[in-house]
Amino acid sequence: MGKVELPLDVYNAFENLKRTWGRLLKKEEMDVIFLNITHIAQVGDAVVLKKYALENATKYIQAVANGYELNSTDKLICQVDMMLNIWLEEPYEDEEKDRYNFAKDITEFIKSQLVTQ
């Protein structure tokens, strides 16, 4: 079994908790916490995981056991969001030309994604 694809909020919750708790706990201890998340979650990212675990128990357990990754749709959204943020941070030279170049970049990105599928 490979990694489980997770929605962005669940993926981020796992990553945030690993980043926070990972400094204090071994992987096995973290796994025990993740497996008991429905009983101990009170706030924040732990509640996100609790909700997901209650609604998708098998996938949740597989994610803890086998690892996880961001689902393909959210991964694409994040990549386009990053492209947009970079584009918005650049100073404008010529608005029409800049819009065209951004549309060109997005089109190339979409074409590259279609080829890899």
Side-chain angles (χ1 to χ4, degrees):
M1 169 108 217
K3 292 183 177 182
V4 176
E5 288 194 351
L6 298 175
L8 182 60
D9 62 333
V10 177
Y11 175 88
N12 284 338
F14 267 118
E15 291 297 299
N16 292 340
L17 291 176
K18 281 184 174 182
R19 206 171 14 260
T20 303
W21 296 345
R23 297 179 200 150
L24 307 170
L25 304 170
K26 294 185 240 176
K27 183 191 180 318
E28 291 78 17
E29 294 169 323
M30 298 245 336
D31 288 347
V32 169
I33 289 173
F34 287 140
L35 290 174
N36 288 291
I37 203 75
T38 58
H39 303 293
I40 61 175
Q42 298 289 323
V43 295
D45 290 320
V47 173
V48 172
L49 293 183
K50 176 181 181 174
K51 182 178 185 292
Y52 187 79
L54 289 171
E55 294 171 359
N56 305 278
T58 302
K59 275 184 144 182
Y60 180 82
I61 291 168
Q62 289 171 340
V64 173
N66 301 320
Y68 55 86
E69 61 189 3
L70 188 57
N71 73 36
S72 55
T73 300
D74 285 336
K75 193 180 298 182
L76 288 173
I77 291 169
C78 288
Q79 289 172 314
V80 171
D81 180 60
M82 186 170 53
M83 291 174 70
L84 181 58
N85 285 331
I86 291 169
W87 180 71
L88 288 171
E89 290 174 2
E90 293 290 319
Y92 287 114
E93 293 177 23
D94 175 324
E95 186 176 344
E96 187 175 327
K97 181 180 172 186
D98 289 343
R99 264 198 328 265
Y100 177 82
N101 286 335
F102 181 68
K104 185 175 153 187
D105 290 346
I106 290 291
T107 302
E108 289 301 316
F109 174 74
I110 292 168
K111 284 171 48 178
S112 74
Q113 294 303 307
L114 293 174
V115 168
T116 60
Q117 292 181 357

